[in-house]
Amino acid sequence: MRLAGRARAIAGWALSSLSFHRTRSFLTVVALGLATALLIATLGFATGYKRSVARDIAAMGYQILVTGKGCPHEAATLILRGGTIPMYLQEEVYARILAQPEVGDATRFLMQSVADASDASRQIYVGIDGRFLALKPDAKFQRGGWFSSDTAAEAILGYNVAEYRRLGLGDRIRVQGEEVSVRGVLDRLGSQDDGMIFLPLGRAQILFEKRDRLTGIGVRLKELDAAGTLIDRLYEWPSVQVVRLAQVQATLLTTLAGIRALLLGFAGLCLFIALVGVFNVALITASERTAEMGVLRALGCPRATLFGLVWSESLLQALGGVGFGIVLASVLSRSAARLATAWLSFVPPATDVALTPGGVALSGLLVVVLCLGAAALPAWKSSVVAPSRVIRGAP
Amino acid sequence: MSAVVVAVDLCKEYKQPDQTVIALADVCLSVSAGEFVALSGESGSGKSTLLGLLGAIDRPTRGSVRLLDKCIDSAPAEELARLRREHVGFVFQDFLLVRHLTALQNVRLPLLFSEQPGEIGLAARLLDRFGVGTRARHRPGALSRGEMQRVALARALVNRPQLLLADEPTANLDARNSQVIWDLLEELNREQGLTIVVATHNPELAARARRVIRLDRGRLVSDDVHT
């Protein structure tokens, strides 16, 4: 109880001192808060990005992507993001793939990106076959259902498309100059699919003049262990590129690692500047309050307590900065995610700054520990002030 | 009566780059329990230096000090700090109150680092007794000089010291406030038997003390006891 009382008294002292030097304390807390927020946001964005990439890839429902010749990773990224890939597979490849013993299921698709005449945005159209939605673990219709045939002038809308364009069942939209009617609307998936318009594969090949052409084939394996065998075999086929989505995920995360290092470096620089501020403020405090420290020593204050008094001011500033940083990171997380998005080639749509308790605690702890480290020397200088400083005339 | 503090051949020198300043030379004295001693002398005569040495704030260059039967010459700094916080009260000429604390917090300050369980109400009672109870929540900047010195006096007494050392406590006060502070010191000595050593360059106030020690240029030149 006595210890708790003393700790309360020391905290009261520190608070009183900090509030006495309001501007100085406020600026220090703000600087620490900004550095903390940046640190939390960087770590949080990396976590959020990893989760989103993993979720998007899992949402595709297949483990291997077969595309036409070219860079398979670029193709995979484009397919994840949505876009036109200027390399195609022949339809007949699909039948050959289905015949492979390792293949459990497979789906064909043709993806095209078309500029919207009304604004600068682009709309992604995907021609799909009957297995496309069946492979997606979470896909289900919010309204309506599957196409009446493979060449029907019909469309299934991603959730966001229906929402933003206020389209419902039976509404008609124009695709490549032809009207198609809305046959179904998918429930929200939290992936790129929410922003896509799906067409029957046969109709899409006609509309985009890509008869017998496919952008890709998604393959679900019977056994994951068989991936290597299948990929080795498919490498022998002409005009075919194969990539494991796990590899795409790794590639995307490698890109993220670079960005994260850059952001962490920036956060580290901000933190360093804030810590220099803490050190400076504590040093100024120590030098301008020499008389005060001398009085405390003259009154019998032990060095350790004096050290603790000065240190506790920095501790409170650090805790204030961390608290402010957490609030700031929460408030600005969306903006931070948008900023980081500008530097990355692919960011899943639902990527946010994931403020995990672990990440927040780690960032907070780091700031507090570094802050206490920065204040240690000034606190020590305060604690060794000679009590004789209070005697008039003493040099 | 037992001696509270005994000084033998005390010398204090301050080494400057170009010379050595002798602040105190061969001072011997003994202060018994319950005494009220005035240290008088001109500015620079060594009064403050002597108080610092008697109160274990500073160490002598030569000689020795026994405070409450303990030889403090070679005691570690933390042991001296313990002695000060448990047995000695200090009042300084410039009050030396902590600017960011209220009057009450300033008075409670010594309890913050005392191992003994402090009496939490004592600080407020002392402020009331010294007529500044209504100013307890004010910071030093909002107090008059007289009020600040009374707060400083309350702070010196909150740890129930056996020895009170006051360094020119009235030097920065007007005549009325000087009178109030001196009256309080006499009252503490008379009613509680508190041992008090006060440095003052005011001969009239010094004459009110039962014992007056006069210093001149660091030397003890007289030690008179009035009956």
Side-chain angles (χ1 to χ4, degrees):
Chain A
M1 284 302 286
R2 175 112 185 99
L3 199 66
R6 188 175 294 192
R8 253 200 317 275
I10 289 177
W13 156 285
L15 266 179
S16 153
S17 171
L18 291 175
S19 67
F20 194 73
H21 302 102
R22 273 188 205 92
T23 310
R24 186 192 294 177
S25 308
F26 175 74
L27 291 176
T28 309
V29 167
V30 166
L32 283 169
L34 287 173
T36 308
L38 200 56
L39 205 58
I40 291 173
T42 304
L43 293 175
F45 178 74
T47 307
Y49 184 86
K50 275 184 205 170
R51 280 184 190 169
S52 297
V53 167
R55 189 183 55 227
D56 261 27
I57 284 179
M60 294 181 93
Y62 43 81
Q63 299 101 11
I64 287 176
L65 180 66
V66 180
T67 61
K69 275 285 185 200
C71 173
H73 289 275
E74 186 191 359
T77 307
L78 273 170
I79 288 166
L80 271 172
R81 188 170 58 187
T84 303
I85 304 163
M87 49 197 183
Y88 298 94
L89 292 166
Q90 292 296 320
E91 272 269 14
E92 52 91 17
V93 175
Y94 178 62
R96 288 174 64 197
I97 283 178
L98 278 180
Q100 302 304 309
E102 296 85 359
V103 175
D105 205 345
T107 179
R108 299 163 291 163
F109 59 90
L110 174 73
M111 186 177 277
Q112 294 291 302
S113 169
V114 177
D116 193 317
S118 59
D119 54 35
S121 66
R122 297 187 76 82
Q123 178 61 55
I124 310 296
Y125 295 92
V126 192
I128 53 175
D129 65 9
R131 302 307 302 154
F132 189 83
L133 290 182
L135 283 176
K136 289 187 181 293
D138 301 321
K140 60 175 188 282
F141 283 98
Q142 186 198 52
R143 285 168 279 167
W146 190 251
F147 309 114
S148 56
S149 76
D150 188 44
T151 53
E154 292 168 347
I156 293 171
L157 307 182
Y159 180 87
N160 289 346
V161 177
E163 194 78 355
Y164 296 147
R165 292 170 66 170
R166 297 178 184 281
L167 292 170
L169 299 181
D171 287 342
R172 303 187 78 79
I173 54 173
R174 291 192 76 79
V175 182
Q176 296 289 88
E178 184 179 309
E179 280 200 336
V180 297
S181 71
V182 176
R183 176 78 175 177
V185 176
L186 292 177
D187 216 343
R188 187 197 294 274
L189 284 163
S191 68
Q192 297 288 352
D193 291 339
D194 289 340
M196 293 179 177
I197 295 176
F198 300 96
L199 304 166
L201 180 60
R203 172 56 58 184
Q205 287 171 330
I206 294 166
L207 285 173
F208 293 105
E209 296 174 355
K210 302 285 185 242
R211 283 178 189 276
D212 297 328
R213 300 286 181 89
L214 300 172
T215 301
I217 299 169
V219 177
R220 179 184 281 181
L221 297 163
K222 286 178 184 162
E223 299 288 339
L224 266 179
D225 298 345
T229 316
L230 177 65
I231 288 170
D232 287 347
R233 195 178 310 126
L234 295 186
Y235 271 135
E236 305 298 323
W237 295 10
S239 308
V240 164
Q241 281 288 356
V242 188
V243 64
R244 260 195 251 203
L245 290 180
Q247 286 174 297
V248 176
Q249 187 173 352
T251 305
L252 290 172
L253 295 184
T254 305
T255 314
L256 171 72
I259 299 295
R260 190 173 72 157
L262 190 73
L263 287 172
L264 278 177
F266 187 55
L269 185 67
C270 288
L271 187 58
F272 176 74
I273 293 168
L275 289 174
V276 168
V278 169
F279 177 77
N280 204 23
V281 164
L283 206 58
I284 290 170
T285 302
S287 64
E288 77 180 9
R289 286 161 65 186
T290 305
E292 185 180 317
M293 300 305 158
V295 172
L296 292 178
R297 282 295 283 156
L299 295 175
C301 181
R303 280 181 180 160
T305 305
L306 206 50
F307 183 93
L309 281 171
V310 179
W311 225 25
S312 61
E313 289 182 22
S314 298
L315 175 65
L316 285 181
Q317 284 178 324
L319 292 176
V322 167
F324 175 56
I326 291 170
V327 172
L328 202 63
S330 314
V331 172
L332 301 178
S333 59
R334 281 186 182 281
S335 309
R338 269 200 297 272
L339 192 69
T341 300
W343 290 345
L344 287 164
S345 59
F346 167 69
V347 177
T351 301
D352 55 4
V353 175
L355 300 180
T356 60
V360 170
L362 183 71
S363 306
L365 191 67
L366 182 71
V367 171
V368 169
V369 168
L370 290 176
C371 200
L372 288 180
L377 178 66
W380 176 80
K381 281 173 92 83
S382 294
S383 71
V384 296
V385 168
S388 58
R389 293 293 294 256
V390 299
I391 301 172
R392 285 172 304 116
Chain B
M1 276 191 284
S2 61
V4 173
V5 61
V6 179
V8 180
D9 296 332
L10 273 190
C11 290
K12 182 67 184 177
E13 296 171 359
Y14 294 114
K15 296 217 183 302
Q16 304 289 351
D18 51 346
Q19 60 173 335
T20 298
V21 177
I22 299 171
L24 220 52
D26 304 322
V27 172
C28 296
L29 64 87
S30 171
V31 178
S32 300
E35 272 197 295
F36 189 112
V37 180
L39 287 180
S40 74
E42 302 297 318
S43 291
S45 60
K47 304 185 295 292
S48 300
T49 305
L50 180 57
L51 277 183
L53 294 174
L54 295 178
I57 280 183
D58 205 357
R59 292 177 191 275
T61 310
R62 285 186 298 281
S64 70
V65 177
R66 283 188 78 79
L67 178 62
L68 298 164
D69 255 356
K70 287 188 184 70
C71 181
I72 61 173
D73 305 336
S74 55
E78 289 308 284
E79 174 61 16
L80 296 185
R82 191 190 61 76
L83 266 176
R84 291 194 297 271
R85 70 175 166 264
E86 288 181 4
H87 303 295
V88 185
F90 290 96
V91 180
F92 306 100
Q93 178 184 333
D94 300 323
F95 326 122
L96 298 181
L97 298 175
V98 177
R99 288 186 307 158
H100 59 83
L101 298 181
T102 64
L104 186 63
Q105 287 170 329
N106 263 288
V107 177
R108 284 183 179 159
L109 205 48
L111 302 176
L112 180 70
F113 33 80
S114 170
E115 284 85 11
Q116 308 300 321
E119 195 187 328
I120 204 75
L122 180 59
R125 285 206 303 279
L126 284 167
L127 286 176
D128 281 339
R129 180 180 171 186
F130 298 156
V132 280
T134 55
R135 311 287 269 156
R137 305 280 169 203
H138 292 92
R139 284 182 171 154
L143 303 177
S144 71
R145 291 177 159 274
E147 287 170 331
M148 280 197 271
Q149 195 58 297
R150 278 180 275 172
V151 172
L153 184 57
R155 181 179 66 184
L157 297 171
V158 79
N159 59 344
R160 298 182 183 278
Q162 291 172 262
L163 174 64
L164 178 67
L165 300 170
D167 185 11
E168 300 273 13
T170 61
N172 286 326
L173 303 180
D174 57 29
R176 195 183 69 80
N177 276 306
S178 296
Q179 194 68 41
V180 170
I181 292 294
W182 204 269
D183 288 347
L184 283 172
L185 291 173
E186 285 181 335
E187 192 180 305
L188 288 165
N189 173 252
R190 193 172 56 246
E191 292 179 2
Q192 296 177 16
L194 181 63
T195 309
I196 300 176
V197 180
V198 191
T200 178
H201 63 264
N202 184 330
E204 287 173 27
L205 289 175
R208 287 173 55 175
R210 200 173 304 153
R211 182 179 171 194
V212 181
I213 295 172
R214 189 169 165 72
L215 294 172
D216 184 29
R217 278 173 275 183
R219 293 188 177 277
L220 196 155
V221 292
S222 68
D223 186 346
D224 303 320
V225 178
H226 305 292
T227 52

